[in-house]
Amino acid sequence: MKKKGYMKKIILCMVLMFSLLLIGCNTSNEDSPNVESNGLKNGTFEGEGNGYIGPIKVEVTLEDGNIGEVVVVEHNETENIANAAINEIPSKIVEHQSVAVDSVTGATGTSKGIVEATTAALLSAGADEADISKAIERNQEEIIEELEADVVVVGAGGAGVSAAVTAAENGANVIVIEKTAIPGGTTAMGGGFFAADSEQARSMGHDPLDTDMIFDMWMGEMDWLADGSLVRQFLELSHTTADWMEERGIEFHKEAQAVQQTHAEGTNGYHKYDNFTQTSAQLGNMLDRIVEEYDASVYYQTPAIDLISEDGAIKGVIAQGNNGITYHIKADSIVLATGGFVGNSEMVSEALNGVTVNASGYNTNVGDGINMAINEGAATRSMQAMVLHTFNVDGGEFVEGDYEAMDIFQGTTSVAYMPIVPWLNGQGFRFANEDMVYDRALSTNALVAQGNYGWFLYNETLLNILENEGAGAAGMQDSIAMGPYPNITPLDTGWNHLTEIVEQMVDGGGVIKADTLEELAQETGMDETILLQTMARYNEDARNGVDTAFNKRTEHMFELSEGPYYAFKVTPNNLSTAGGIRINSNFQVVLDNPEVGYTPIPNLYAAGADAGGLYSDHYAHTIEGAAQGWAYNSGRLAGARAAENALNVQIDLFNE
Ligand SMILES: Cc1cc2nc3c(=O)[nH]c(=O)nc-3n(C[C@H](O)[C@H](O)[C@H](O)COP(=O)(O)OP(=O)(O)OC[C@H]3O[C@@H](n4cnc5c(N)ncnc54)[C@H](O)[C@@H]3O)c2cc1C
């Protein structure tokens, strides 16, 4: 377990990104500083800045008053994601002799950290801040480069890479354009994906899943408001997709059982990455292979900014390279796979009727593909369907001290994953059977259904029990696993320093503490009468051993009749949007003309989180790994249909 310093940086990274930590020192011989006319000393200087996860240290070598070299010597950033910034930002600083360089898209936290560290080093070398931050001269003239392809794929996440590889392997000349510096998108952040069958599953003695049964469950859960044809194609193709990916270098293993507890019997098709931090590189290898072996090219840091249309048909895409070149790419088919709009808070809130949700997904996915299609008249579908998943607790940023990472995690996160405390909405009504916390999708949906936040209520007695004995002593029956942590809510061992950590959150204003419920209502804004009624019933139910409101497990009804009370403000997280552009059974984007049956926009396709149709108004908890399963399978299918359109051929992925 890593020490607090590292963990705290993760919790605080957003806050810290805005506070310059300028520490610089000279590692050259201080006795004989070789000072140039511009005030800069020659030598090698160290500087430190705040990256996305933790401190970044650089060494800057100054020669003849110029920045000769910038080297990142220490960091805690996530490999792959940060690499582009670590390679690119130092050389840009040297090239322009300025720290006013653009961040690398998708690695802005790391980019800013390197710039901060370099600034610190330069200041310690005697630099003038204005000199080293001088604006970089940019070429004002627009350079346009014309390109042509059979198929253009916009976005290099799971859906885009699958589409590009499928199209290229079936003979299409493919161009992939990606907004950020690396492939993978949200897909490279996830744990695993659904597949109905695989060599690996069979080698473990698992039979192929009954996709007829899963189809019925799925469509039942969606009240048939999803597109049956798309759901069917996704499930059926998923019999082959895991093997297809493994053959192309994605490393994963079949999970023996589903992680989330409400996933139904007979639906475990969860294939988990062996090491999800490698997914980006492995998807990158898939692209490298089609560049080497087929007729394909990939442009990173080149976001699509518009579609080219002529007489109602899409003829290509315009993309903006970070090299200053605007690409006009003519193509017979265009696949939109830009990963939805999780990073666009306005669009998310509009889709959720005003409710705001933290984006814990890929924040550069801001709806580009969807908006470009809407501009061409496309219909949308189920925009409110989102992968609402996990909670966020206010106040973690106020915790300081030399604690173990898990101690901090328990105080700032595990407290939101306890079935033994009542969950109250903004008015003070209890809104759920808290036992649903064992399923992230259901519990997060329940919170979002209440608006922007909820209050999870503890008292001092309960916090003391957790600290001294563990959650089992307060009645909790099963612990909770999360991500890499097998047990975030220990039942039999005390939660070290819990009260100390919580008091810091109280002092910072993140957690509300009050001696009485009346006072708590006042502090939190809950309605006093409602809160008193809610808690009177809850406590009486706890004494009687029955939850008359929601029928929660009796053991989980912990009485909270004495203050001081602690109300933790809990907000929901959004991993990815899951509704988007309406597509037909051939993955073609369709016009918003229901009166004539949604006619296709010629040559335009969509896949992954850009494409709606798999869901009604919510993400399905029927199967685990559905979002990534959809990304890969819809990507393969959209890639095949796009290649068919471009090459005038037939591609049957189901009988390959
Ligand atoms: C932390 C986390 C964990 C998750 N875990 C799981 C899980 O275990 N299982 C699961 O099923 N789902 C999971 N999800 C959700 C799932 O990963 C996504 O829904 C899915 O991967 C989306 O795939 P995609 O290809 O549509 O989008 P992405 O993988 O996001 O790819 C979209 C790509 O398009 C690029 N792009 C955006 N705009 C442009 C533009 N204008 N021009 C060019 N390129 C552009 C982006 O940079 C990105 O690379 C998780 C999500 C998160 C955030």
Side-chain angles (χ1 to χ4, degrees):
M1 179 66 62
K2 282 190 175 127
K3 281 277 190 183
K4 174 239 162 199
Y6 174 74
M7 185 65 199
K8 192 179 143 224
K9 285 281 159 40
I10 296 173
I11 294 166
L12 297 183
C13 60
M14 293 310 292
V15 175
L16 293 177
M17 266 163 56
F18 298 104
S19 63
L20 279 179
L21 180 72
L22 299 176
I23 307 167
C25 66
N26 182 4
T27 58
S28 70
N29 184 350
E30 286 288 351
D31 296 337
S32 57
N34 179 0
V35 181
E36 295 293 324
S37 55
N38 61 1
L40 281 178
K41 300 169 199 162
N42 284 340
T44 301
F45 297 81
E46 283 180 0
E48 187 175 309
N50 288 308
Y52 185 64
I53 291 181
I56 294 181
K57 280 191 186 155
V58 300
E59 277 181 10
V60 179
T61 305
L62 300 175
E63 296 157 1
D64 305 329
N66 291 319
I67 306 171
E69 193 180 31
V70 177
V71 181
V72 175
V73 288
E74 252 180 73
H75 70 88
N76 288 317
E77 310 291 277
T78 310
E79 235 185 287
N80 293 326
I81 296 175
N83 280 355
I86 289 169
N87 294 334
E88 206 169 291
I89 296 292
S91 53
K92 275 189 181 172
I93 292 173
V94 174
E95 181 190 342
H96 297 291
Q97 294 293 304
S98 169
V99 293
V101 295
D102 291 337
S103 292
V104 171
T105 319
T108 36
T110 311
S111 304
K112 285 179 181 165
I114 297 170
V115 166
E116 279 178 25
T118 309
T119 306
L122 290 170
L123 291 180
S124 77
D128 177 273
E129 193 153 8
D131 274 358
I132 58 167
S133 314
K134 66 179 186 287
I136 292 170
E137 279 178 30
R138 290 169 210 276
N139 196 341
Q140 295 302 310
E141 214 177 291
E142 190 183 12
I143 306 168
I144 295 175
E145 195 170 316
E146 309 272 351
L147 300 172
E148 278 187 29
D150 296 324
V151 176
V152 172
V153 177
V154 184
V161 171
S162 304
V165 170
T166 304
E169 288 179 354
N170 281 285
N173 157 244
V174 175
I175 291 178
V176 180
I177 49 175
E178 164 56 44
K179 186 182 210 170
T180 69
I182 53 166
T186 323
T187 308
M189 299 168 82
F193 60 92
F194 171 86
D197 190 13
S198 66
E199 285 284 346
Q200 292 213 23
R202 268 171 273 134
S203 72
M204 292 168 73
H206 296 188
D207 289 334
L209 296 180
D210 178 352
T211 36
D212 290 339
M213 185 271 286
I214 296 176
F215 176 78
D216 289 342
M217 280 174 67
W218 186 292
M219 295 308 291
E221 188 185 332
M222 297 301 154
D223 288 331
W224 271 90
L225 282 165
D227 185 314
S229 164
L230 295 175
V231 174
R232 190 84 206 176
Q233 291 186 67
F234 158 41
L235 294 173
E236 292 319 310
L237 191 65
S238 84
H239 282 272
T240 60
T241 298
D243 291 344
W244 182 86
M245 288 162 59
E246 193 164 36
E247 281 158 20
R248 286 158 185 77
I250 306 289
E251 292 172 6
F252 54 79
H253 57 275
K254 171 79 190 342
E255 284 285 271
Q257 60 185 55
V259 181
Q260 311 264 336
Q261 295 181 7
T262 56
H263 293 296
E265 192 67 24
T267 63
N268 174 23
Y270 195 55
H271 291 68
K272 192 172 177 183
Y273 300 113
D274 291 344
N275 179 353
F276 81 94
T277 64
Q278 296 307 309
T279 308
S280 168
Q282 289 166 7
L283 288 170
N285 293 341
M286 279 172 76
L287 290 178
D288 289 349
R289 190 181 63 88
I290 58 169
V291 171
E292 280 157 28
E293 294 180 17
Y294 297 92
D295 194 3
S297 33
V298 183
Y299 293 76
Y300 291 107
Q301 296 194 76
T302 306
I305 53 173
D306 209 353
L307 294 170
I308 302 168
S309 58
E310 250 176 61
D311 302 328
I314 305 302
K315 299 287 189 177
V317 61
I318 299 175
Q320 186 61 63
N322 81 327
N323 50 7
I325 299 176
T326 306
Y327 296 97
H328 287 205
I329 311 169
K330 287 198 185 132
D332 296 321
S333 299
I334 297 91
V335 181
L336 298 173
T338 67
F341 57 98
V342 70
N344 187 327
S345 54
E346 262 175 44
M347 278 177 84
V348 168
S349 169
E350 192 184 325
L352 294 175
N353 299 318
V355 173
T356 57
V357 186
N358 314 307
S360 58
Y362 212 61
N363 292 1
T364 46
N365 289 356
V366 291
D368 292 345
I370 295 171
N371 286 324
M372 284 188 285
I374 290 173
N375 286 344
E376 300 299 331
T380 57
R381 184 169 189 161
S382 307
M383 292 284 276
Q384 67 276 48
M386 304 194 188
V387 191
L388 302 169
H389 226 260
T390 68
F391 295 144
N392 186 47
V393 181
D394 273 15
E397 68 272 29
F398 301 114
V399 179
E400 282 182 349
D402 194 18
Y403 304 113
E404 291 287 327
M406 188 42 91
D407 298 345
I408 296 189
F409 193 87
Q410 283 158 359
T412 58
T413 305
S414 305
V415 284
Y417 293 92
M418 299 287 282
I420 59 174
V421 299
W423 299 354
L424 310 177
N425 69 12
Q427 285 289 288
F429 290 109
R430 187 171 162 230
F431 61 86
N433 176 339
E434 294 85 2
D435 283 344
M436 70 167 62
V437 73
Y438 291 101
D439 188 282
R440 307 283 178 271
L442 295 185
S443 50
T444 315
N445 280 349
L447 185 58
V448 170
Q450 297 302 316
N452 296 350
Y453 62 91
W455 297 103
F456 289 16
L457 196 61
Y458 286 71
N459 69 0
E460 193 173 77
T461 312
L462 178 53
L463 289 177
N464 283 333
I465 292 174
L466 293 176
E467 178 164 295
N468 297 325
E469 299 169 75
M476 188 164 168
Q477 298 294 301
D478 302 300
S479 62
I480 298 224
M482 184 174 290
Y485 301 130
N487 177 9
I488 63 160
T489 55
L491 301 181
D492 305 323
T493 52
W495 297 21
N496 293 328
H497 307 290
L498 179 66
T499 51
E500 234 173 79
I501 289 167
V502 171
E503 287 301 340
Q504 290 192 45
M505 295 163 78
V506 171
D507 291 345
V511 174
I512 307 292
K513 180 181 180 182
D515 288 332
T516 64
L517 288 174
E518 289 82 353
E519 201 189 310
L520 191 76
Q522 207 167 22
E523 296 284 318
T524 55
M526 284 188 264
D527 181 287
E528 184 181 313
T529 312
I530 295 169
L531 176 62
L532 290 173
Q533 281 170 354
T534 302
M535 290 313 296
R537 178 172 177 182
Y538 188 80
N539 286 329
E540 191 183 341
D541 282 358
R543 284 191 292 278
N544 294 335
V546 56
D547 176 7
T548 59
F550 295 114
N551 204 21
K552 179 161 78 167
R553 284 165 84 158
T554 305
E555 320 83 89
H556 288 174
M557 295 294 291
F558 184 92
E559 185 178 350
L560 295 170
S561 49
E562 274 179 16
Y565 294 99
Y566 294 81
F568 290 79
K569 192 172 190 180
V570 178
T571 53
N573 290 323
N574 187 2
L575 296 185
S576 172
T577 54
I581 309 164
R582 182 179 271 263
I583 53 172
N584 64 17
S585 302
N586 286 333
F587 290 79
Q588 288 171 292
V589 175
V590 297
L591 284 168
D592 191 9
N593 56 6
E595 64 285 359
V596 291
Y598 294 113
T599 47
I601 300 177
N603 311 328
L604 190 60
Y605 298 79
D610 272 357
L614 203 59
Y615 307 99
S616 54
D617 58 355
H618 62 281
Y619 186 61
H621 72 276
T622 311
I623 58 177
E624 189 142 26
Q628 296 223 351
W630 169 247
Y632 292 124
N633 287 287
S634 65
R636 288 182 72 194
L637 286 158
R641 299 291 91 89
E644 283 178 341
N645 177 58
L647 305 176
N648 205 13
V649 293
Q650 295 283 307
I651 301 166
D652 182 359
L653 297 183
F654 295 96
N655 291 301
E656 271 182 346

